[in-house]
Amino acid sequence: MIKVGVVYHSVCGSTRTLAEAIVDGINSIPGCEGEALAIKGEHIIQGRYHNPELMLRLDQCNGIVFGSPTFMGSVSAQFKAFMDAASERYSGRGWVDKLSAGFTIGSNFSGDQLNTISTLQIFAAQMGMLWVPLGILPNHDVKRRNRSGCQSGLVAVVEGEGTVHELDYHTALYMGERIGQLLGRLQLL
Ligand SMILES: Cc1cc2nc3c(=O)[nH]c(=O)nc-3n(C[C@H](O)[C@H](O)[C@H](O)COP(=O)(O)O)c2cc1C
């Protein structure tokens, strides 16, 4: 079984909804199993993220999708604490060659969400992971997914507090399917 972890932080629930849609997309691919893993503030003690169980689950994954709300033009403080805690895997090269992708949501159409995606992308590169861009042509997709037009990852825009636009939801589903399909193809090599 191919395993993909979708690790995310969410306060009001919109990032969680996207994470769960990505998991549904992963699970729709035969032989793939997705799991949503929430980063919680209670695991940050004196500024340091500590959740060995979550880290071990990610170790067992073939791919990891990272998701954070955009807060002040970047990842949330809680997500950054998780990134810093992953430095143990950086030095041990524990996540090298796993597939990776990223998603974010903000309340504005151009609320600097790209900086969040770029932060996730650079984090994945630090870990030696292989980044999967979204791969949907904006304005040409018959289902009108990727309405924000970002290619590096999924950039969503809040509909109402804690909710997700239907097209962003379908883009998240697609992201999960794409990761699952790519991992399936890599396994066949
Ligand atoms: C402290 C804070 C900073 C924020 N900064 C931004 C921002 O820079 N750009 C943006 O588009 N939205 C910003 N937002 C809006 C959030 O990204 C938005 O509410 C998002 O849906 C939160 O995700 P969640 O529902 O998973 O908690 C900010 C919200 C908060 C609370």
Side-chain angles (χ1 to χ4, degrees), residues 130-142:
L130 306 172
W131 186 261
V132 178
L134 191 56
I136 302 176
L137 272 187
N139 304 321
H140 293 271
D141 183 59
V142 285

Side-chain angles (χ1 to χ4, degrees), residues 9-16 69-74 105-113 158 161-163:
H9 172 241
S10 183
V11 177
C12 295
S14 53
T15 315
R16 182 177 66 240
T70 292
F71 281 176
M72 304 310 291
S74 190
I105 187 161
S107 54
N108 305 288
F109 277 96
S110 187
D112 296 320
Q113 290 98 321
V158 167
E161 178 99 332
T163 60

Side-chain angles (χ1 to χ4, degrees), residues 5 58 61-66 93-101 120-132:
L58 293 177
C61 290
N62 304 86
I64 305 176
V65 182
F66 302 109
R93 301 279 76 193
W95 294 355
V96 164
D97 290 349
K98 291 184 193 295
L99 286 199
S100 61
L120 299 175
Q121 194 170 13
I122 290 170
F123 170 63
Q126 292 247 342
M127 304 303 281
M129 303 171 83
L130 306 172
W131 186 261
V132 178

Side-chain angles (χ1 to χ4, degrees), residues 2-163:
I2 294 166
K3 289 192 173 185
V4 184
V6 180
V7 61
Y8 69 95
H9 172 241
S10 183
V11 177
C12 295
S14 53
T15 315
R16 182 177 66 240
T17 302
L18 292 171
E20 288 168 353
I22 293 169
V23 166
D24 287 347
I26 294 162
N27 287 336
S28 73
I29 305 301
C32 288
E33 184 181 287
E35 183 181 20
L37 297 159
I39 292 164
K40 295 185 177 161
E42 69 206 47
H43 291 121
I44 300 171
I45 298 150
Q46 293 192 333
R48 289 193 175 271
Y49 182 76
H50 183 73
N51 186 348
E53 195 194 317
L54 180 140
M55 291 299 192
L56 283 172
R57 288 180 102 86
L58 293 177
D59 289 343
Q60 288 154 12
C61 290
N62 304 86
I64 305 176
V65 182
F66 302 109
S68 169
T70 292
F71 281 176
M72 304 310 291
S74 190
V75 295
S76 65
Q78 290 86 341
F79 197 91
K80 183 62 168 71
F82 157 77
M83 287 166 60
D84 291 354
S87 61
E88 280 178 22
R89 269 62 181 176
Y90 166 86
S91 37
R93 301 279 76 193
W95 294 355
V96 164
D97 290 349
K98 291 184 193 295
L99 286 199
S100 61
F103 62 102
T104 189
I105 187 161
S107 54
N108 305 288
F109 277 96
S110 187
D112 296 320
Q113 290 98 321
L114 181 59
N115 188 54
T116 304
I117 296 292
S118 300
T119 300
L120 299 175
Q121 194 170 13
I122 290 170
F123 170 63
Q126 292 247 342
M127 304 303 281
M129 303 171 83
L130 306 172
W131 186 261
V132 178
L134 191 56
I136 302 176
L137 272 187
N139 304 321
H140 293 271
D141 183 59
V142 285
K143 296 182 181 171
R144 294 171 45 237
R145 297 167 300 185
N146 191 14
R147 67 188 177 118
S148 66
C150 183
Q151 291 296 350
S152 305
L154 163 54
V155 166
V157 181
V158 167
E159 263 297 273
E161 178 99 332
T163 60

